[in-house]
Structures are given as C-alpha cells and as structure tokens.
Amino acid sequence: AQKITQTQPGMFVQEKEAVTLDCTYDTSDPSYGLFWYKQPSSGEMIFLIYQGSYDQQNATEGRYSLNFQKARKSANLVISASQLGDSAMYFCAMRDRYALNFGKGTSLLVTP
Amino acid sequence: GAGVSQSPRYKVAKRGQDVALRCDPISGHVSLFWYQQALGQGPEFLTYFQNEAQLDKSGLPSDRFFAERPEGSVSTLKIQRTQQEDSAVYLCASSLVVGNNSPLHFGNGTRLTVT
C-alpha cells in the first residue's frame, strides 16, 4: 500500500524568505505521480505542482519547485520569496491507481 | 461555472437525520471523487465515479453512506441516520481523465456538523 508522510505539523517563515516543506512516500510501483496542494482557510484544495516518477527534471511552477529525490523517496516542496498569502495548509499526495492519497499536511504561517 | 461547485457550503444536522450533499463537477470531466476531511487531517478517499459508473466505493465508512451520479455529471453524496462521527468536511473533486499526471480539481467542500 502507498503511504505519504509529512513530518512537519507546522512551519513558520518570514515574508520574502524561502521555505521547504517535507514529504516522503512509500510505494512499490515503478511509475507514480506526486502532487502538492494548498488549502487556505476557505477550504478549497488548490493544485500547485506535479512530479512524475520518470521526469528527468524537478518540476517548477512559478515560485513553487519540487526537490525530487527518487532514491530517498522524497518530494519536498520549495516555496521561494514567501508571501503573506502563502499561509495555508499544504498537502502532499500520491496517485493510487485513480484517486489521490494525501498526507496529514503541514501548516505554513508566513510572518511579516 | 469554471470550477467544481458544492452545495450546501455548511450543513447542520441533528443526529439521526438524513443529509444530501451535491457536487457539480467541471463540465466534461469524466472522473468524480468524494473525499472526507476530518479536522486537522488530510482528505480521505470515499468513492470514485467514471461517468455514471461507480467504480470504487471502498472508502465509504458504512452502509449509511451512499453516492450516485446518475447522468454522469452532477453527483450526490447521501448520509443516512447521521452520527456525530460523520462531522467533517466533504470534498468533491473532478478530473478530465485519469492518468498519472492528471490533477484533481476540488470544490470548496461542504462542512457537515452533526449535533
């Protein structure tokens, strides 16, 4: 069975600084996809970034990038130049056949 | 609309009442998912539809939970004889296709409180 682990329940970062949110996973499938979502207090899950297991390069989307280390089974999200609006819950997820399995999430607070 | 729409946004039910939660996916999206999110936790998979066919309902916690998508678009999650442990946010998501790189697009959820 697949498993997603997010070990940081809460993180603080100062505005304009970079922050890394950790995610490790466990799977026996050679082909898999990893996703990061943001959930602000409004409740909606917002898709941020995707990394495929066979992708040659780390994924990037604007200020978001993935530090993908396949041998270590980690897919950490890096947010550069943090903004106050980045304060939210962040979830790492892995596709299991068709659905996504989510980790418990990390709460990020960006301070002025 | 452009996104996944869920209604109602909030629902308060007395224990034992039946509730129905509605999900309107993005137009043309074949796949539809329901998730349950308890406070402080990540979303947990409940059930999956491909068009009108319910292909997986392994995550439904009990036989009091029932989901349908009769015409392959709008879906309803019904909970019969609600219990306090059913209190959670229920999230609906859709995707155009199902593949490794296809993200799920989520609605704002319905927050159910059972008193």
Side-chain angles (χ1 to χ4, degrees):
Chain A
Q2 297 184 338
K3 187 177 179 182
I4 295 285
T5 302
Q6 294 181 256
T7 57
Q8 306 155 312
M11 292 280 287
F12 292 88
V13 66
Q14 210 159 15
E15 205 176 1
K16 300 188 179 69
E17 298 293 312
V19 63
T20 298
L21 306 182
D22 294 342
C23 173
T24 59
Y25 59 91
D26 189 19
T27 182
S28 56
D29 293 332
S31 175
Y32 50 89
L34 294 154
F35 300 78
W36 276 91
Y37 281 81
K38 172 185 178 182
Q39 188 176 43
S41 57
S42 59
E44 185 181 3
M45 296 284 283
I46 302 167
F47 167 66
L48 296 177
I49 196 167
Y50 166 81
Q51 179 79 49
S53 58
Y54 289 123
D55 292 346
Q56 294 297 314
Q57 294 187 324
N58 287 346
T60 60
E61 286 287 348
R63 294 186 299 111
Y64 304 109
S65 61
L66 246 166
N67 182 2
F68 181 50
Q69 298 186 41
K70 196 170 179 178
R72 297 180 60 186
K73 293 190 174 178
S74 74
N76 299 337
L77 177 70
V78 180
I79 306 174
S80 62
S82 297
Q83 302 172 355
L84 296 178
D86 294 334
S87 294
M89 285 292 294
Y90 288 81
F91 292 96
C92 181
M94 170 180 282
R95 186 173 297 282
D96 179 8
R97 290 184 293 162
Y98 35 77
L100 295 184
N101 282 344
F102 288 86
K104 290 185 182 299
T106 296
S107 175
L108 177 66
L109 181 62
V110 181
T111 59
Chain B
V4 177
S5 178
Q6 291 188 246
S7 61
R9 187 81 172 90
Y10 302 93
K11 177 70 179 177
V12 178
K14 290 187 177 176
R15 192 171 53 146
Q17 282 184 332
D18 298 348
V19 298
L21 313 180
R22 177 188 168 103
C23 173
D24 206 335
I26 295 172
S27 178
H29 277 198
V30 168
S31 300
L32 185 145
F33 304 81
W34 283 99
Y35 281 81
Q36 181 189 58
Q37 187 176 22
L39 191 64
Q41 300 295 317
E44 295 281 343
F45 169 77
L46 293 178
T47 187
Y48 160 59
F49 290 85
Q50 185 170 312
N51 294 307
E52 68 278 4
Q54 188 176 21
L55 298 186
D56 188 337
K57 53 182 181 179
S58 62
L60 297 176
S62 77
D63 58 8
R64 296 185 295 104
F65 286 70
F66 172 76
E68 60 183 5
R69 194 186 184 196
E71 297 178 359
S73 55
V74 171
S75 177
T76 304
L77 176 68
K78 297 179 180 177
I79 309 173
Q80 298 175 325
R81 304 181 304 280
T82 52
Q83 304 293 316
Q84 283 192 317
E85 62 262 29
D86 300 335
S87 295
V89 174
Y90 291 85
L91 294 165
C92 177
S94 69
S95 68
L96 185 58
V97 293
V98 172
N100 248 356
N101 63 346
S102 301
L104 271 55
H105 301 272
F106 284 83
N108 284 336
T110 294
R111 182 178 296 277
L112 173 65
T113 303
V114 181
T115 60

